[in-house]
Amino acid sequence: MTISAKKKSSSGIGKLVLRIFLLIQALVVLYPLLWNVLASLKTNAEVMESPWSLPSALNWDNYVRAFTTAKIGDYMLNSVIVVIMSMAVLLLTAVPTAYVLGRMRFRGRSFLTNFYMAGLFIGGVYIIVPLFMMMNDLHMLDNRFWLSAVYATGSLPFSVFLLTGFMKSIPHDYEEAAMIDGCGYFGTLFRVIMPMARPGIITLIVFSFFDFWNEYVLAMTFITSDAKKTIPIGLSNLMAIQQYATDWGSLFAGLVTVLVPTIVVYALLQKKLTQGMMLGGVKG
């Protein structure tokens, strides 16, 4: 056997092993999700007596009870409102900041860049006590907008760090051409830079959506009324209730309902997310 044939044979074996490993990993990830979906369609007796078997019938009443009794719909609506407001505040602050730090030269730029990068090491959980005291003094607790502002502020350093790399990768020729045509800084940003940095912005939106949608500690601390609680808090309350009500079908139905938005967002933006992650490593 020649050397080239040996290389091809070893390469083929390596690819086969890699595919088997990835297949096993995919099954490990997908099986709990599939089991959750099947459990959401079972009766309580089937969940307890035969958790690994298929449901004898499709009990869609579990989803009805999840929305009526467990109020999953109200919690999801609160999460949607909080995520939308958080995303709006984050994009309105992160995009112009990254544009300035990534494409302009001025005294103090390095200091501001390092200042934002230092924020990467400060998690919201670590400063939750002084933050709670400050928001309590300013009467900001139990308010969905101020919770959104906290989310956006906590994600701002990473967002600026991510978008700055995309801003630097855009050639300056486009910016100079826009300036010659009469665009100011804001016009250049919104008409030229933002469309070209769209993969980076979509990447930021996906990461931020997952972060805001699943956040638990800050929402648990700053939101006190049941009518304003987000979906992680609602699921936690639902799990505590099911310890005594034993309505496992509605619990799993609520879990499946919460997973649907994240799956849909990732499925719709997966290609853009991959493109954005690849372009993020390119520097102009």
Side-chain angles (χ1 to χ4, degrees):
M1 182 179 293
T2 61
I3 297 177
S4 60
K6 290 182 179 180
K7 289 183 178 180
K8 290 182 179 180
S9 177
S10 61
S11 176
I13 294 175
K15 290 181 180 180
L16 179 61
V17 172
L18 178 61
R19 289 178 180 177
I20 294 175
F21 172 75
L22 293 177
L23 179 61
I24 295 174
Q25 188 177 20
L27 291 175
V28 170
V29 173
L30 291 177
Y31 181 75
L33 178 61
L34 179 61
W35 185 91
N36 196 351
V37 173
L38 294 177
S40 68
L41 298 172
K42 293 181 178 181
T43 62
N44 293 329
E46 289 177 333
V47 172
M48 300 302 296
E49 296 174 2
S50 55
W52 310 108
S53 63
L54 296 175
S56 58
L58 302 180
N59 295 277
W60 298 106
D61 292 341
N62 294 334
Y63 287 88
V64 176
R65 291 197 306 275
F67 277 88
T68 56
T69 304
K71 299 180 180 179
I72 290 296
D74 296 339
Y75 295 134
M76 288 188 65
L77 178 60
N78 289 330
S79 288
V80 169
I81 294 173
V82 170
V83 168
I84 291 176
M85 291 192 297
S86 302
M87 207 76 70
V89 175
L90 180 62
L91 292 177
L92 287 174
T93 53
V95 173
T97 302
Y99 172 64
V100 171
L101 295 179
R103 306 190 63 82
M104 296 184 180
R105 300 292 182 268
F106 56 91
R107 182 176 298 179
R109 185 177 70 94
S110 298
F111 172 78
L112 289 177
T113 302
N114 294 331
F115 179 79
Y116 277 101
M117 295 307 100
L120 292 171
F121 302 97
I122 302 176
V125 178
Y126 303 137
I127 58 172
I128 193 169
V129 174
L131 190 59
F132 175 85
M133 296 175 63
M134 181 189 72
M135 294 180 66
N136 184 44
D137 293 338
L138 297 175
H139 305 287
M140 293 179 177
L141 296 178
D142 200 26
N143 186 294
R144 287 172 294 190
F145 173 77
W146 292 118
L147 176 64
S148 303
V150 171
Y151 284 172
T153 304
S155 299
L156 186 59
F158 172 75
S159 303
V160 171
F161 172 75
L162 178 67
L163 290 179
T164 299
F166 285 94
M167 298 296 181
K168 290 181 178 179
S169 66
I170 300 175
H172 286 274
D173 296 340
Y174 296 99
E175 194 172 11
E176 294 173 356
M179 293 289 186
I180 293 175
D181 290 339
C183 281
Y185 290 114
F186 285 100
T188 303
L189 173 62
F190 289 108
R191 297 180 182 179
V192 179
I193 301 300
M194 286 184 61
M196 300 188 69
R198 186 178 302 169
I201 296 175
I202 292 177
T203 302
L204 174 61
I205 290 174
V206 174
F207 285 161
S208 300
F209 173 81
F210 292 152
D211 188 21
F212 300 154
W213 183 264
N214 297 311
E215 201 284 321
Y216 175 83
V217 177
L218 296 178
M220 183 67 180
T221 305
F222 300 144
I223 300 296
T224 56
S225 61
D226 290 335
K228 299 178 182 179
K229 288 182 178 179
T230 56
I231 196 64
I233 312 303
L235 285 178
S236 177
N237 295 341
L238 180 59
M239 293 179 65
I241 293 173
Q242 299 314 319
Q243 294 179 1
Y244 307 99
T246 63
D247 189 3
W248 299 108
S250 64
L251 172 61
F252 290 119
L255 293 174
V256 172
T257 304
V258 172
L259 287 173
V260 169
T262 58
I263 296 174
V264 171
V265 169
Y266 181 79
L268 293 177
L269 301 178
Q270 185 266 339
K271 291 184 179 180
K272 293 291 185 180
L273 177 62
T274 303
Q275 180 184 3
M277 295 177 65
M278 293 177 62
L279 291 178
V282 179
K283 294 183 179 180

